[in-house]
Amino acid sequence: MAAVIETKGLSKVYGDVTALDSVSLSVEKGTLFGLLGPNGSGKTTMIKVLTGQIRPTGGFATVLGLDAEKEGIRVREKVGIIPEQESPPSFLTAMEYLEFVGAVRKIPDIGERAEKWFELLEFGDKKDVLCKDLSRGTRQKLMFAQAFIHEPVLALIDEPLINLDPVMQDVVKEFLSDYVRKGNTIFVSTHILEVAEEICSGFAILHKGKLLHAGSVADVTADGGHLPGFFLSLVRKGGHA
Amino acid sequence: MPDLFSCLMKEEWRMHSTMFGSISFALFPVMIFGIVFMGSFLLPLLSVAFPAGDLAFLAHASFLLLGFMVGGFGLLGNEMMNRRFGQASLLVYSSRSLPLSERFIFTNFVVKDIVYYFFLWVLPFGGGYIAASPFFGVPLTRALLLLTLSLSFLLGLCVVFLLSSLYVRSKAACLLIVIFLGIAGGVYTIWSGTNPTLLFPPYLLYSAFSWMMFLGTTIAVVTMFLASVVLFSPEGTGLSRTYRRRLGRLARVLSFLPESPIVAKDFLDLSRSGIGIGQALFSFVLPLVVIWFFLSLLRSSFPPNGLVVIFSLTAGIIASTIYTWVTEFDSFGPYSCLPVAVSTLIAGKMTTFLFLQVLPAVFIGTVAGISAGPEMIAPAIVLCLSISIYAAAVMAFLCGLSPSVLVYDVRVLLTYLVLDGVALVLFAAVSFASSLYAFLSVFLLFPAYLLFRAAGARWDARDPAGI
């Protein structure tokens, strides 16, 4: 299978802090891939580098065959992204924000697409509310909608279920699994291991910027094992597995 | 109170120092001290053209404006703070999570601003002058300047705090008061033939100190401060504001622009936040009206039409800060998930900035028409807008999308002052010679364009701030 994400010796250093330390990773098309790691392990930095938001200080990354460093804008044209902490702009309404995304991405039927998302994530009653006045959960739904509204072949999501209630988490998990079944790829960064075990087929573990392990979830769970246990033992050993 | 105050001081310091390093930021007041110290040695030369009293007058006016600007940034920047630093990340929002009333926090916030900016701006300025004064024969009694400059700064700060407290409670009442004060000033000028700024208490104190006036001025400052605390009313939280869809229609109207969605979004930001009106009032019209009154006292020091020329240049510099209004809302963060480059965002902001130049154009055209006749309208507008666009391009080049914070970087500020200063001196000189030469300032648009292009390339090549 073709790799949609490929990194080789990828590093990112902020001053004295090494956020990514020579990470080499490959993610194949049609997988729901989980990037796991404790807080501060470099997951968010990884997504930012892969989507060309920030530049690596070493190594390289290709996404959908594009150089993430040199062709960051083209990468962001093709993929969908949900950043961990970003909110939609304060003084646009929810509907206007999706119109804004549609205008930037040049999506002609943005109105119809937006309505589908309001319906799927059940927040149509908030479409004319200013983004700054939306609850965190509703903002997350909106960020979800903007990431998938152009039906990207690859989506990179930082903590997809954060702030969502259990019912909506279920809707989102089902959507993600279904989206991958259609041949698309999803790259999820999370530290909720149970969710990763439930929905991901492939995974990688980052710890202190280093790649500790990359493999398939099925391999870990084959003999009655669990991803959380595997993860904890690996991280507690500090990567000396 | 002392705990919160010291935390607010630390927070303000760290907000600045983390952006460009503690040492670089710590050098900022040292630089102000140095500039004033060295500049003071030019006073004997300058006093040939400008009486010493006029220079002192300008210094007091500058500190009044500094007070306006610090006050405006502190209060009207509420939304900007949210956007730039994340919700509830500043102590000023801690009433949401700690048992502290918003009024208590506001009081501390105002006191913090007074103390912080006193040490950042007022003390180095006054100190530089006082340190230099023995070398050019000014008696040390002129150390009074430090006190009167402080009062100018405090008056400006408290006026803006009072007006902005009032503004949050009733925009109409605030506008009425500003209009009333403007009319009162105009009527007084016509009736008495005296410029009302001659009654500016700190300057009167500097010219002839009296304890009564000092007491009166202090009472005025304290009264305005207390009134602003009493009138302070935090903006309603928990309200869900709804709006009819405007973005799509506005973007279609502007579709001839390459960055039409960004420009349309900027207009909605400005109008829905109230910052558009607030900034226009407190950061543009109000400072310029005050400057006009101060400058008009120096009319005799300028060649014919020189006052309008100087005012146009000043208005141009102040108009260039409109670039900060349109960048205040956004860090790059919300755009980072979209195929938008920093250069595209700068281009969008610059386009919005150009649209908003209608405001200075109308303002300066009106002032020039009334004060110097219709023949000065076109030169004044061209001069003002050329300087404004050039200075904004300098800002975009030096600071990218963060002009209101990066200006505290010593290197950035010095480069900004030099690049703008050269243009100002050059076009003041040629426009003094003949007002027709003011049209030559359109040539500034060429370096402005080059700087703008270079700004895009420069900031695209760096990791964007705010993500």
Side-chain angles (χ1 to χ4, degrees):
Chain A
M1 273 190 149
V4 289
I5 296 174
E6 186 110 48
T7 72
K8 198 91 178 166
L10 196 65
S11 299
K12 178 69 182 176
V13 178
Y14 299 103
D16 301 334
V17 179
T18 301
L20 290 176
D21 189 355
S22 198
V23 175
S24 298
L25 184 66
S26 179
V27 177
E28 290 178 352
K29 185 173 181 285
T31 53
L32 208 166
F33 191 91
L35 182 64
L36 316 178
N39 292 333
S41 57
K43 304 187 297 293
T44 298
T45 300
M46 182 81 170
I47 287 190
K48 285 178 181 170
V49 172
L50 289 177
T51 52
Q53 297 176 51
I54 56 176
R55 287 161 184 75
T57 43
F60 72 90
T62 58
V63 175
L64 299 171
L66 299 165
D67 184 327
E69 182 182 0
K70 293 178 182 147
E71 299 173 283
I73 297 292
R74 288 200 60 207
V75 169
R76 297 206 289 279
E77 271 173 16
K78 287 175 179 283
V79 307
I81 308 166
I82 305 181
E84 184 193 8
Q85 289 180 327
E86 288 307 334
S87 293
S90 294
F91 291 99
L92 297 185
T93 65
M95 183 67 193
E96 284 176 337
Y97 178 53
L98 293 182
E99 285 180 345
F100 179 76
V101 171
V104 170
R105 291 194 177 279
K106 299 183 173 54
I107 304 169
D109 54 343
I110 188 68
E112 282 172 42
R113 291 182 188 224
E115 291 297 343
K116 281 183 196 162
W117 278 97
F118 284 122
E119 195 177 327
L120 176 71
L121 299 179
E122 300 170 16
F123 68 119
D125 57 328
K126 305 288 184 199
K127 67 173 82 162
D128 292 326
V129 175
L130 283 189
C131 291
K132 72 190 276 285
D133 295 335
L134 295 172
S135 69
R136 286 189 182 189
T138 310
R139 279 187 218 164
Q140 179 70 359
K141 291 178 187 177
L142 188 56
M143 293 307 285
F144 217 91
Q146 67 78 25
F148 285 95
I149 205 155
H150 58 301
E151 296 172 5
V153 292
L154 170 65
L156 297 101
I157 312 173
D158 209 345
E159 298 294 355
L161 304 180
I162 200 165
N163 298 317
L164 297 178
D165 63 54
V167 175
M168 201 43 63
Q169 286 189 13
D170 206 46
V171 170
V172 167
K173 282 190 278 188
E174 198 164 313
F175 169 81
L176 294 177
S177 300
D178 193 47
Y179 200 73
V180 170
R181 274 196 291 275
K182 290 176 183 165
N184 302 301
T185 310
I186 293 178
F187 185 88
V188 174
S189 152
T190 184
H191 52 230
I192 307 175
L193 303 169
E194 292 76 8
V195 171
E197 182 174 303
E198 188 184 342
I199 63 173
C200 294
S201 49
F203 75 101
I205 298 176
L206 274 184
H207 183 47
K208 295 179 180 169
K210 287 189 177 184
L211 182 68
L212 295 189
H213 180 89
S216 80
V217 175
D219 288 344
V220 173
T221 56
D223 301 321
H226 289 288
L227 191 55
F230 180 79
F231 172 89
L232 289 172
S233 68
L234 207 59
V235 169
R236 281 179 182 153
K237 282 180 203 162
H240 305 296
Chain B
M1 175 134 176
D3 288 345
L4 180 61
F5 173 78
S6 65
C7 287
L8 283 166
M9 289 286 283
K10 275 184 205 164
E11 184 181 62
E12 189 85 15
W13 164 264
R14 283 178 190 159
M15 226 162 61
H16 285 123
S17 62
T18 51
M19 283 169 201
F20 22 76
S22 296
I23 294 174
S24 187
F25 182 58
L27 283 174
F28 185 80
V30 177
M31 181 195 71
I32 298 289
F33 179 92
I35 289 174
V36 177
F37 180 79
M38 289 185 286
S40 298
F41 286 90
L42 295 175
L43 284 176
L45 296 173
L46 286 172
S47 62
V48 176
F50 281 105
D54 287 356
L55 289 169
F57 202 66
L58 282 176
H60 284 88
S62 306
F63 275 79
L64 179 70
L65 289 175
L66 179 67
F68 284 162
M69 284 173 179
V70 168
F73 181 85
L75 288 174
L76 294 171
N78 185 330
E79 280 306 329
M80 180 271 288
M81 289 295 192
N82 262 338
R83 296 301 307 143
R84 273 203 185 286
F85 300 104
Q87 295 213 343
S89 60
L90 289 178
L91 283 169
V92 78
Y93 300 112
S94 54
S95 66
R96 295 172 189 174
S97 53
L98 295 173
L100 298 170
S101 76
E102 280 170 314
R103 182 162 283 126
F104 176 75
I105 294 172
F106 175 76
T107 310
N108 275 273
F109 179 79
V110 175
V111 175
K112 177 268 297 175
D113 261 6
I114 290 170
V115 175
Y116 189 85
Y117 288 95
F118 175 80
F119 283 104
L120 194 67
W121 278 100
V122 184
L123 188 61
F125 188 98
Y129 174 76
I130 290 164
S133 56
F135 296 100
F136 54 92
V138 172
L140 209 57
T141 49
R142 292 291 86 183
L144 183 63
L145 183 72
L146 190 57
L147 174 72
T148 55
L149 286 183
S150 304
L151 283 172
S152 297
F153 171 70
L154 286 174
L155 273 172
L157 198 70
C158 289
V159 163
V160 171
F161 280 154
L162 180 58
L163 286 177
S164 54
S165 285
L166 202 59
Y167 180 79
V168 172
R169 279 192 179 258
S170 166
K171 291 179 176 62
C174 180
L175 279 173
L176 276 175
I177 287 178
V178 172
I179 291 167
F180 171 77
L181 288 175
I183 291 173
V187 168
Y188 176 82
T189 307
I190 294 164
W191 175 70
S192 69
T194 312
N195 191 316
T197 40
L198 281 174
L199 302 177
F200 185 53
Y203 178 67
L204 289 179
L205 272 173
Y206 178 76
S207 308
F209 184 85
S210 89
W211 283 105
M212 280 306 288
M213 182 158 290
F214 174 68
L215 196 65
T217 310
T218 309
I219 288 172
V221 167
V222 172
T223 306
M224 283 192 288
F225 170 70
L226 292 176
S228 64
V229 172
V230 170
L231 285 170
F232 176 70
S233 156
E235 284 187 89
T237 50
L239 292 172
S240 283
R241 282 188 281 169
T242 58
Y243 284 92
R244 261 190 278 171
R245 285 173 227 167
R246 296 239 166 80
L247 183 97
R249 207 181 319 148
L250 197 51
R252 276 192 293 281
V253 170
L254 299 168
S255 59
F256 59 94
L257 299 168
E259 295 86 17
S260 61
I262 295 170
V263 178
K265 178 191 160 298
D266 283 343
F267 279 125
L268 292 180
D269 280 345
L270 286 168
S271 74
R272 287 176 181 173
S273 66
I275 284 188
I277 296 171
Q279 290 280 31
L281 194 63
F282 295 122
S283 302
F284 187 76
V285 175
L286 194 61
L288 277 176
V289 167
V290 173
I291 287 174
W292 172 257
F293 277 116
F294 277 100
L295 278 180
S296 59
L297 287 172
L298 311 177
R299 191 185 285 267
S300 59
S301 305
F302 298 125
N305 292 329
L307 178 62
V308 173
V309 166
I310 287 290
F311 189 64
S312 303
L313 293 168
T314 312
I317 289 294
I318 291 193
S320 72
T321 64
I322 290 176
Y323 181 68
T324 67
W325 307 2
V326 294
T327 50
E328 274 176 3
F329 286 96
D330 291 320
S331 64
F332 185 69
Y335 301 89
S336 62
C337 54
L338 299 172
V340 175
V342 175
S343 57
T344 308
L345 203 50
I346 291 176
K349 300 291 178 189
M350 197 54 89
T351 309
T352 312
F353 163 83
L354 290 174
F355 272 106
L356 293 173
Q357 292 303 294
V358 171
L359 174 67
V362 170
F363 184 86
I364 197 70
T366 308
V367 171
I370 292 170
S371 68
E375 71 279 4
M376 272 308 286
I377 293 176
I381 290 176
V382 169
L383 196 56
C384 171
L385 295 193
S386 301
I387 285 288
S388 172
I389 292 166
Y390 169 76
V394 170
M395 237 188 284
F397 176 75
L398 292 175
C399 308
L401 292 166
S402 310
S404 51
V405 285
L406 281 180
V407 78
Y408 285 109
D409 185 311
V410 170
R411 275 172 299 184
V412 169
L413 182 62
L414 279 176
T415 315
Y416 174 79
L417 290 174
V418 169
L419 288 174
D420 283 3
V422 168
L424 286 171
V425 169
L426 180 66
F427 287 100
V430 297
S431 304
F432 276 175
S434 163
S435 54
L436 283 177
Y437 289 154
F439 289 110
L440 290 174
S441 61
V442 291
F443 286 110
L444 276 175
L445 299 182
F446 182 63
Y449 178 73
L450 294 179
L451 280 165
F452 163 68
R453 292 295 299 269
R458 184 175 193 226
W459 292 96
D460 271 346
R462 300 178 179 195
D463 282 351
I467 61 167

